[in-house]
Amino acid sequence: NQPNVSSGTTIERALSWPQVKKLTGLSRTTAWRGAKDGSFPKPRQISKNRVVWLLSEIESFLKSRPVSSAFSVQNEETK
């Protein structure tokens, strides 16, 4: 449900920190540390005191994470 602008480009959904935290479960410190070292998407500065993250970048980050080994062990035990 992303609206198109007249130039034909798609507008990305911007997420606030509370939305990012809800999606990822990460603390603010972990997210900022990851943004600094390149392991987490960098926020976008949209005004002097406001940053947002792009939904597509957060989704890509989540999809890139490995499956939990605890889940894999549980699956092996149930086979």
CSV table of all heavy atoms in Angstrom, one decimal, residues 21-77:
chain,number,residue,atom,x,y,z
A,21,LYS,N,11.9,-0.8,17.3
A,21,LYS,CA,12.1,-1.7,18.4
A,21,LYS,C,11.1,-2.8,18.5
A,21,LYS,O,11.4,-3.9,18.8
A,21,LYS,CB,12.1,-0.8,19.7
A,21,LYS,CG,12.3,-1.6,21.0
A,21,LYS,CD,12.3,-0.7,22.2
A,21,LYS,CE,12.6,-1.6,23.4
A,21,LYS,NZ,12.7,-0.8,24.6
A,22,LYS,N,9.9,-2.5,18.2
A,22,LYS,CA,8.8,-3.5,18.2
A,22,LYS,C,9.1,-4.6,17.2
A,22,LYS,O,8.8,-5.7,17.4
A,22,LYS,CB,7.4,-2.8,17.9
A,22,LYS,CG,6.3,-3.7,18.1
A,22,LYS,CD,5.0,-3.0,18.0
A,22,LYS,CE,3.8,-3.9,18.2
A,22,LYS,NZ,2.5,-3.3,18.1
A,23,LEU,N,9.5,-4.2,16.0
A,23,LEU,CA,9.8,-5.2,14.9
A,23,LEU,C,11.0,-6.0,15.2
A,23,LEU,O,11.1,-7.2,14.9
A,23,LEU,CB,10.0,-4.5,13.6
A,23,LEU,CG,8.7,-3.9,12.9
A,23,LEU,CD1,9.1,-3.1,11.7
A,23,LEU,CD2,7.8,-5.0,12.5
A,24,THR,N,12.1,-5.4,15.8
A,24,THR,CA,13.3,-6.1,16.0
A,24,THR,C,13.6,-6.7,17.4
A,24,THR,O,14.3,-7.6,17.5
A,24,THR,CB,14.5,-5.2,15.6
A,24,THR,OG1,14.6,-4.1,16.6
A,24,THR,CG2,14.4,-4.6,14.2
A,25,GLY,N,13.0,-6.0,18.4
A,25,GLY,CA,13.3,-6.4,19.7
A,25,GLY,C,14.6,-5.9,20.2
A,25,GLY,O,15.1,-6.3,21.3
A,26,LEU,N,15.3,-5.1,19.5
A,26,LEU,CA,16.6,-4.6,19.9
A,26,LEU,C,16.5,-3.4,20.8
A,26,LEU,O,15.6,-2.6,20.7
A,26,LEU,CB,17.5,-4.2,18.6
A,26,LEU,CG,17.8,-5.4,17.6
A,26,LEU,CD1,18.6,-4.8,16.5
A,26,LEU,CD2,18.6,-6.4,18.3
A,27,SER,N,17.5,-3.2,21.6
A,27,SER,CA,17.6,-2.0,22.4
A,27,SER,C,18.2,-0.9,21.5
A,27,SER,O,18.8,-1.1,20.5
A,27,SER,CB,18.6,-2.2,23.6
A,27,SER,OG,19.9,-2.3,23.1
A,28,ARG,N,17.9,0.3,22.0
A,28,ARG,CA,18.4,1.5,21.2
A,28,ARG,C,19.9,1.4,21.1
A,28,ARG,O,20.5,1.7,20.0
A,28,ARG,CB,17.9,2.8,21.9
A,28,ARG,CG,18.2,4.0,21.1
A,28,ARG,CD,17.8,5.3,21.8
A,28,ARG,NE,16.4,5.4,22.1
A,28,ARG,CZ,15.5,6.0,21.3
A,28,ARG,NH1,16.0,6.7,20.3
A,28,ARG,NH2,14.3,6.1,21.6
A,29,THR,N,20.6,1.1,22.2
A,29,THR,CA,22.1,1.0,22.2
A,29,THR,C,22.6,0.0,21.1
A,29,THR,O,23.5,0.3,20.4
A,29,THR,CB,22.6,0.7,23.6
A,29,THR,OG1,22.1,1.7,24.5
A,29,THR,CG2,24.1,0.6,23.6
A,30,THR,N,22.0,-1.2,21.1
A,30,THR,CA,22.4,-2.2,20.2
A,30,THR,C,22.1,-1.8,18.7
A,30,THR,O,23.0,-2.0,17.9
A,30,THR,CB,21.6,-3.5,20.5
A,30,THR,OG1,22.0,-3.9,21.8
A,30,THR,CG2,22.0,-4.6,19.5
A,31,ALA,N,21.0,-1.1,18.5
A,31,ALA,CA,20.7,-0.6,17.1
A,31,ALA,C,21.7,0.4,16.7
A,31,ALA,O,22.2,0.4,15.6
A,31,ALA,CB,19.3,-0.1,17.1
A,32,TRP,N,22.0,1.4,17.5
A,32,TRP,CA,22.9,2.4,17.2
A,32,TRP,C,24.3,1.9,17.0
A,32,TRP,O,25.1,2.3,16.1
A,32,TRP,CB,22.9,3.6,18.2
A,32,TRP,CG,21.7,4.5,18.0
A,32,TRP,CD1,20.5,4.4,18.7
A,32,TRP,CD2,21.5,5.5,17.0
A,32,TRP,NE1,19.7,5.4,18.2
A,32,TRP,CE2,20.3,6.0,17.2
A,32,TRP,CE3,22.3,6.0,16.0
A,32,TRP,CZ2,19.8,7.1,16.4
A,32,TRP,CZ3,21.8,7.0,15.2
A,32,TRP,CH2,20.6,7.6,15.4
A,33,ARG,N,24.7,1.0,17.8
A,33,ARG,CA,26.0,0.3,17.7
A,33,ARG,C,26.1,-0.4,16.4
A,33,ARG,O,27.1,-0.3,15.7
A,33,ARG,CB,26.3,-0.6,18.9
A,33,ARG,CG,27.7,-1.1,19.0
A,33,ARG,CD,27.9,-2.1,20.2
A,33,ARG,NE,27.6,-1.4,21.4
A,33,ARG,CZ,26.9,-1.9,22.4
A,33,ARG,NH1,26.3,-3.0,22.3
A,33,ARG,NH2,26.7,-1.2,23.5
A,34,GLY,N,25.1,-1.1,16.0
A,34,GLY,CA,25.0,-1.9,14.8
A,34,GLY,C,25.0,-0.9,13.6
A,34,GLY,O,25.7,-1.2,12.6
A,35,ALA,N,24.3,0.2,13.7
A,35,ALA,CA,24.3,1.2,12.6
A,35,ALA,C,25.7,1.7,12.4
A,35,ALA,O,26.2,1.9,11.2
A,35,ALA,CB,23.4,2.3,12.9
A,36,LYS,N,26.4,1.9,13.5
A,36,LYS,CA,27.8,2.4,13.4
A,36,LYS,C,28.8,1.4,12.8
A,36,LYS,O,29.6,1.8,12.0
A,36,LYS,CB,28.3,2.8,14.8
A,36,LYS,CG,29.6,3.5,14.8
A,36,LYS,CD,30.0,4.0,16.2
A,36,LYS,CE,31.4,4.7,16.2
A,36,LYS,NZ,31.8,5.1,17.5
A,37,ASP,N,28.6,0.1,13.1
A,37,ASP,CA,29.6,-0.9,12.6
A,37,ASP,C,29.0,-1.5,11.3
A,37,ASP,O,29.7,-2.4,10.7
A,37,ASP,CB,29.9,-1.9,13.6
A,37,ASP,CG,28.8,-2.9,14.0
A,37,ASP,OD1,27.8,-3.0,13.2
A,37,ASP,OD2,28.9,-3.6,15.0
A,38,GLY,N,27.9,-1.1,10.8
A,38,GLY,CA,27.4,-1.6,9.5
A,38,GLY,C,26.5,-2.9,9.6
A,38,GLY,O,26.1,-3.4,8.6
A,39,SER,N,26.3,-3.4,10.8
A,39,SER,CA,25.5,-4.6,11.0
A,39,SER,C,24.0,-4.4,11.1
A,39,SER,O,23.2,-5.3,11.2
A,39,SER,CB,26.0,-5.4,12.2
A,39,SER,OG,25.8,-4.7,13.4
A,40,PHE,N,23.6,-3.1,11.2
A,40,PHE,CA,22.2,-2.7,11.3
A,40,PHE,C,21.9,-1.5,10.4
A,40,PHE,O,22.9,-0.7,10.2
A,40,PHE,CB,21.8,-2.4,12.7
A,40,PHE,CG,20.4,-2.2,13.0
A,40,PHE,CD1,19.5,-3.3,13.1
A,40,PHE,CD2,19.8,-0.9,13.2
A,40,PHE,CE1,18.2,-3.1,13.3
A,40,PHE,CE2,18.5,-0.8,13.5
A,40,PHE,CZ,17.6,-1.9,13.5
A,41,PRO,N,20.8,-1.4,9.8
A,41,PRO,CA,20.5,-0.2,8.9
A,41,PRO,C,20.7,1.1,9.6
A,41,PRO,O,20.4,1.3,10.8
A,41,PRO,CB,19.0,-0.4,8.5
A,41,PRO,CG,18.7,-1.8,8.7
A,41,PRO,CD,19.6,-2.2,9.9
A,42,LYS,N,21.3,2.1,8.9
A,42,LYS,CA,21.5,3.4,9.4
A,42,LYS,C,20.2,4.2,9.4
A,42,LYS,O,19.4,4.1,8.4
A,42,LYS,CB,22.6,4.1,8.6
A,42,LYS,CG,24.0,3.6,8.9
A,42,LYS,CD,25.0,4.4,8.1
A,42,LYS,CE,26.4,4.2,8.5
A,42,LYS,NZ,26.8,2.8,8.5
A,43,PRO,N,19.9,5.0,10.4
A,43,PRO,CA,18.7,5.8,10.3
A,43,PRO,C,18.9,7.0,9.4
A,43,PRO,O,20.0,7.4,9.0
A,43,PRO,CB,18.6,6.4,11.8
A,43,PRO,CG,20.0,6.4,12.3
A,43,PRO,CD,20.7,5.2,11.6
A,44,ARG,N,17.8,7.5,8.9
A,44,ARG,CA,17.7,8.7,8.0
A,44,ARG,C,17.3,9.9,8.8
A,44,ARG,O,16.4,9.9,9.6
A,44,ARG,CB,16.7,8.5,6.9
A,44,ARG,CG,16.8,7.2,6.2
A,44,ARG,CD,18.1,7.1,5.4
A,44,ARG,NE,18.3,5.8,4.8
A,44,ARG,CZ,18.3,5.5,3.5
A,44,ARG,NH1,18.1,6.5,2.6
A,44,ARG,NH2,18.5,4.3,3.1
A,45,GLN,N,18.1,11.0,8.7
A,45,GLN,CA,17.8,12.3,9.4
A,45,GLN,C,16.7,13.0,8.6
A,45,GLN,O,17.0,13.4,7.4
A,45,GLN,CB,19.0,13.1,9.5
A,45,GLN,CG,18.9,14.3,10.3
A,45,GLN,CD,19.2,14.1,11.8
A,45,GLN,OE1,20.2,13.4,12.1
A,45,GLN,NE2,18.5,14.7,12.7
A,46,ILE,N,15.5,13.1,9.1
A,46,ILE,CA,14.5,13.8,8.3
A,46,ILE,C,14.2,15.3,8.8
A,46,ILE,O,13.5,16.0,8.1
A,46,ILE,CB,13.1,13.0,8.3
A,46,ILE,CG1,12.6,12.8,9.7
A,46,ILE,CG2,13.4,11.7,7.5
A,46,ILE,CD1,11.2,12.2,9.6
A,47,SER,N,14.7,15.6,10.0
A,47,SER,CA,14.7,16.9,10.5
A,47,SER,C,15.8,17.1,11.6
A,47,SER,O,16.4,16.1,11.8
A,47,SER,CB,13.3,17.3,11.1
A,47,SER,OG,13.1,16.6,12.3
A,48,LYS,N,15.9,18.2,12.1
A,48,LYS,CA,17.0,18.5,13.1
A,48,LYS,C,17.0,17.4,14.2
A,48,LYS,O,18.0,17.0,14.7
A,48,LYS,CB,16.9,19.9,13.6
A,48,LYS,CG,18.0,20.2,14.6
A,48,LYS,CD,17.9,21.7,15.1
A,48,LYS,CE,18.9,22.0,16.1
A,48,LYS,NZ,18.8,23.3,16.7
A,49,ASN,N,15.8,17.1,14.7
A,49,ASN,CA,15.7,16.3,15.9
A,49,ASN,C,14.9,15.0,15.6
A,49,ASN,O,14.4,14.3,16.6
A,49,ASN,CB,15.0,17.0,17.0
A,49,ASN,CG,15.8,18.2,17.5
A,49,ASN,OD1,17.0,18.1,17.8
A,49,ASN,ND2,15.1,19.3,17.6
A,50,ARG,N,14.9,14.5,14.4
A,50,ARG,CA,14.1,13.3,14.1
A,50,ARG,C,14.8,12.4,13.1
A,50,ARG,O,15.3,12.9,12.1
A,50,ARG,CB,12.8,13.8,13.5
A,50,ARG,CG,11.8,12.7,13.1
A,50,ARG,CD,10.9,12.4,14.2
A,50,ARG,NE,9.8,11.6,13.7
A,50,ARG,CZ,9.3,10.6,14.4
A,50,ARG,NH1,9.6,10.4,15.6
A,50,ARG,NH2,8.3,9.9,13.9
A,51,VAL,N,14.9,11.1,13.5
A,51,VAL,CA,15.5,10.1,12.5
A,51,VAL,C,14.4,9.1,12.3
A,51,VAL,O,13.6,8.8,13.2
A,51,VAL,CB,16.8,9.5,13.0
A,51,VAL,CG1,17.9,10.6,13.1
A,51,VAL,CG2,16.6,8.8,14.4
A,52,VAL,N,14.5,8.4,11.2
A,52,VAL,CA,13.6,7.3,10.9
A,52,VAL,C,14.4,6.2,10.2
A,52,VAL,O,15.5,6.4,9.7
A,52,VAL,CB,12.4,7.7,10.0
A,52,VAL,CG1,11.5,8.7,10.7
A,52,VAL,CG2,12.9,8.3,8.6
A,53,TRP,N,13.9,5.0,10.2
A,53,TRP,CA,14.5,3.9,9.4
A,53,TRP,C,13.5,3.5,8.3
A,53,TRP,O,12.3,3.6,8.5
A,53,TRP,CB,14.7,2.7,10.4
A,53,TRP,CG,15.8,2.9,11.3
A,53,TRP,CD1,17.1,2.3,11.2
A,53,TRP,CD2,15.8,3.6,12.5
A,53,TRP,NE1,17.8,2.7,12.3
A,53,TRP,CE2,17.1,3.5,13.1
A,53,TRP,CE3,14.8,4.4,13.2
A,53,TRP,CZ2,17.4,4.1,14.3
A,53,TRP,CZ3,15.1,5.0,14.4
A,53,TRP,CH2,16.4,4.8,15.0
A,54,LEU,N,14.0,3.0,7.2
A,54,LEU,CA,13.2,2.6,6.1
A,54,LEU,C,12.7,1.2,6.4
A,54,LEU,O,13.5,0.3,6.7
A,54,LEU,CB,13.9,2.7,4.8
A,54,LEU,CG,14.4,4.1,4.4
A,54,LEU,CD1,15.1,4.0,3.0
A,54,LEU,CD2,13.2,5.0,4.3
A,55,LEU,N,11.4,0.9,6.2
A,55,LEU,CA,10.9,-0.4,6.5
A,55,LEU,C,11.6,-1.5,5.7
A,55,LEU,O,11.9,-2.5,6.2
A,55,LEU,CB,9.4,-0.4,6.2
A,55,LEU,CG,8.6,-1.7,6.3
A,55,LEU,CD1,8.8,-2.3,7.7
A,55,LEU,CD2,7.2,-1.6,5.9
A,56,SER,N,11.8,-1.2,4.4
A,56,SER,CA,12.5,-2.2,3.5
A,56,SER,C,13.9,-2.6,4.1
A,56,SER,O,14.2,-3.8,4.0
A,56,SER,CB,12.6,-1.7,2.1
A,56,SER,OG,13.4,-0.6,2.0
A,57,GLU,N,14.6,-1.6,4.6
A,57,GLU,CA,15.9,-1.9,5.2
A,57,GLU,C,15.8,-2.8,6.5
A,57,GLU,O,16.6,-3.7,6.7
A,57,GLU,CB,16.7,-0.7,5.4
A,57,GLU,CG,17.0,0.0,4.1
A,57,GLU,CD,17.8,1.3,4.3
A,57,GLU,OE1,18.0,1.8,5.4
A,57,GLU,OE2,18.2,1.9,3.3
A,58,ILE,N,14.8,-2.5,7.3
A,58,ILE,CA,14.6,-3.3,8.5
A,58,ILE,C,14.2,-4.7,8.1
A,58,ILE,O,14.6,-5.7,8.7
A,58,ILE,CB,13.6,-2.6,9.5
A,58,ILE,CG1,14.1,-1.2,9.9
A,58,ILE,CG2,13.2,-3.5,10.6
A,58,ILE,CD1,15.4,-1.2,10.7
A,59,GLU,N,13.3,-4.8,7.2
A,59,GLU,CA,12.8,-6.1,6.7
A,59,GLU,C,14.0,-6.9,6.2
A,59,GLU,O,14.2,-8.1,6.5
A,59,GLU,CB,11.8,-6.0,5.6
A,59,GLU,CG,10.4,-5.6,6.2
A,59,GLU,CD,9.4,-5.3,5.1
A,59,GLU,OE1,9.8,-5.0,4.0
A,59,GLU,OE2,8.2,-5.4,5.4
A,60,SER,N,14.9,-6.3,5.4
A,60,SER,CA,16.1,-7.0,4.8
A,60,SER,C,17.0,-7.4,6.0
A,60,SER,O,17.6,-8.5,5.9
A,60,SER,CB,16.8,-6.1,3.9
A,60,SER,OG,16.1,-5.8,2.7
A,61,PHE,N,17.2,-6.6,7.0
A,61,PHE,CA,18.0,-6.9,8.1
A,61,PHE,C,17.4,-8.2,8.8
A,61,PHE,O,18.2,-9.1,9.1
A,61,PHE,CB,18.0,-5.8,9.1
A,61,PHE,CG,18.6,-6.2,10.5
A,61,PHE,CD1,19.9,-6.3,10.7
A,61,PHE,CD2,17.7,-6.4,11.5
A,61,PHE,CE1,20.4,-6.7,11.9
A,61,PHE,CE2,18.2,-6.8,12.8
A,61,PHE,CZ,19.5,-6.9,13.0
A,62,LEU,N,16.1,-8.2,9.1
A,62,LEU,CA,15.5,-9.3,9.7
A,62,LEU,C,15.6,-10.6,8.9
A,62,LEU,O,15.9,-11.7,9.5
A,62,LEU,CB,14.0,-9.0,10.1
A,62,LEU,CG,13.8,-8.0,11.1
A,62,LEU,CD1,12.3,-7.6,11.2
A,62,LEU,CD2,14.4,-8.4,12.5
A,63,LYS,N,15.4,-10.5,7.6
A,63,LYS,CA,15.6,-11.7,6.7
A,63,LYS,C,17.0,-12.2,6.7
A,63,LYS,O,17.2,-13.4,6.4
A,63,LYS,CB,15.0,-11.3,5.3
A,63,LYS,CG,13.5,-11.2,5.3
A,63,LYS,CD,13.1,-10.7,3.9
A,63,LYS,CE,11.6,-10.4,3.9
A,63,LYS,NZ,11.1,-9.9,2.6
A,64,SER,N,18.0,-11.3,6.9
A,64,SER,CA,19.4,-11.7,6.8
A,64,SER,C,19.9,-12.4,8.1
A,64,SER,O,20.9,-13.0,8.1
A,64,SER,CB,20.2,-10.5,6.5
A,64,SER,OG,20.4,-9.7,7.7
A,65,ARG,N,19.1,-12.4,9.1
A,65,ARG,CA,19.5,-13.0,10.4
A,65,ARG,C,19.4,-14.5,10.3
A,65,ARG,O,18.5,-15.0,9.7
A,65,ARG,CB,18.7,-12.5,11.6
A,65,ARG,CG,18.5,-11.0,11.7
A,65,ARG,CD,19.8,-10.2,11.6
A,65,ARG,NE,21.0,-10.7,12.3
A,65,ARG,CZ,22.2,-10.3,11.9
A,65,ARG,NH1,22.4,-9.5,10.9
A,65,ARG,NH2,23.2,-10.8,12.5
A,66,PRO,N,20.4,-15.2,10.9
A,66,PRO,CA,20.3,-16.7,10.8
A,66,PRO,C,19.1,-17.2,11.7
A,66,PRO,O,18.7,-16.6,12.6
A,66,PRO,CB,21.6,-17.1,11.4
A,66,PRO,CG,22.1,-16.0,12.2
A,66,PRO,CD,21.5,-14.7,11.6
A,67,VAL,N,18.7,-18.4,11.3
A,67,VAL,CA,17.6,-19.1,12.1
A,67,VAL,C,18.3,-19.4,13.5
A,67,VAL,O,19.4,-19.8,13.6
A,67,VAL,CB,17.1,-20.3,11.4
A,67,VAL,CG1,16.2,-21.1,12.3
A,67,VAL,CG2,16.5,-19.9,10.1
A,68,SER,N,17.5,-19.3,14.5
A,68,SER,CA,18.0,-19.5,15.9
A,68,SER,C,18.4,-21.0,16.0
A,68,SER,O,17.7,-21.9,15.6
A,68,SER,CB,16.9,-19.3,16.9
A,68,SER,OG,17.2,-19.7,18.1
A,69,SER,N,19.6,-21.2,16.6
A,69,SER,CA,20.1,-22.6,16.8
A,69,SER,C,19.2,-23.3,17.8
A,69,SER,O,19.1,-24.5,17.7
A,69,SER,CB,21.5,-22.6,17.2
A,69,SER,OG,21.7,-21.9,18.5
A,70,ALA,N,18.6,-22.6,18.7
A,70,ALA,CA,17.7,-23.2,19.7
A,70,ALA,C,16.5,-23.8,19.0
A,70,ALA,O,16.1,-24.9,19.3
A,70,ALA,CB,17.3,-22.2,20.7
A,71,PHE,N,16.0,-23.1,18.0
A,71,PHE,CA,14.9,-23.6,17.2
A,71,PHE,C,15.3,-24.8,16.4
A,71,PHE,O,14.6,-25.8,16.3
A,71,PHE,CB,14.4,-22.5,16.3
A,71,PHE,CG,13.1,-22.9,15.5
A,71,PHE,CD1,11.9,-23.0,16.1
A,71,PHE,CD2,13.3,-23.3,14.1
A,71,PHE,CE1,10.8,-23.4,15.4
A,71,PHE,CE2,12.2,-23.7,13.4
A,71,PHE,CZ,10.9,-23.8,14.0
A,72,SER,N,16.5,-24.8,15.8
A,72,SER,CA,17.0,-25.9,15.0
A,72,SER,C,17.1,-27.1,15.9
A,72,SER,O,16.8,-28.2,15.4
A,72,SER,CB,18.3,-25.6,14.4
A,72,SER,OG,18.2,-24.5,13.5
A,73,VAL,N,17.7,-27.0,17.1
A,73,VAL,CA,17.8,-28.1,18.0
A,73,VAL,C,16.5,-28.7,18.3
A,73,VAL,O,16.3,-29.9,18.3
A,73,VAL,CB,18.6,-27.7,19.2
A,73,VAL,CG1,18.5,-28.8,20.3
A,73,VAL,CG2,20.0,-27.4,18.9
A,74,GLN,N,15.5,-27.9,18.6
A,74,GLN,CA,14.2,-28.3,19.0
A,74,GLN,C,13.6,-29.1,17.8
A,74,GLN,O,12.9,-30.1,18.0
A,74,GLN,CB,13.3,-27.1,19.3
A,74,GLN,CG,11.9,-27.5,19.8
A,74,GLN,CD,11.1,-26.3,20.2
A,74,GLN,OE1,11.4,-25.1,19.8
A,74,GLN,NE2,10.1,-26.5,20.9
A,75,ASN,N,13.8,-28.6,16.6
A,75,ASN,CA,13.2,-29.3,15.4
A,75,ASN,C,13.8,-30.7,15.3
A,75,ASN,O,13.2,-31.6,14.9
A,75,ASN,CB,13.5,-28.5,14.1
A,75,ASN,CG,12.4,-27.5,13.9
A,75,ASN,OD1,11.3,-27.5,14.5
A,75,ASN,ND2,12.6,-26.6,13.0
A,76,GLU,N,15.1,-30.8,15.5
A,76,GLU,CA,15.8,-32.1,15.4
A,76,GLU,C,15.3,-33.1,16.4
A,76,GLU,O,15.2,-34.2,16.1
A,76,GLU,CB,17.3,-31.9,15.5
A,76,GLU,CG,18.0,-31.1,14.4
A,76,GLU,CD,17.8,-31.8,13.0
A,76,GLU,OE1,17.9,-33.0,12.9
A,76,GLU,OE2,17.5,-31.1,12.0
A,77,GLU,N,15.0,-32.6,17.6
A,77,GLU,CA,14.5,-33.5,18.7
A,77,GLU,C,13.1,-34.0,18.4
A,77,GLU,O,12.7,-35.0,18.8
A,77,GLU,CB,14.5,-32.7,20.0
A,77,GLU,CG,15.9,-32.4,20.5
A,77,GLU,CD,15.9,-31.6,21.8
A,77,GLU,OE1,14.8,-31.2,22.2
A,77,GLU,OE2,17.0,-31.3,22.3
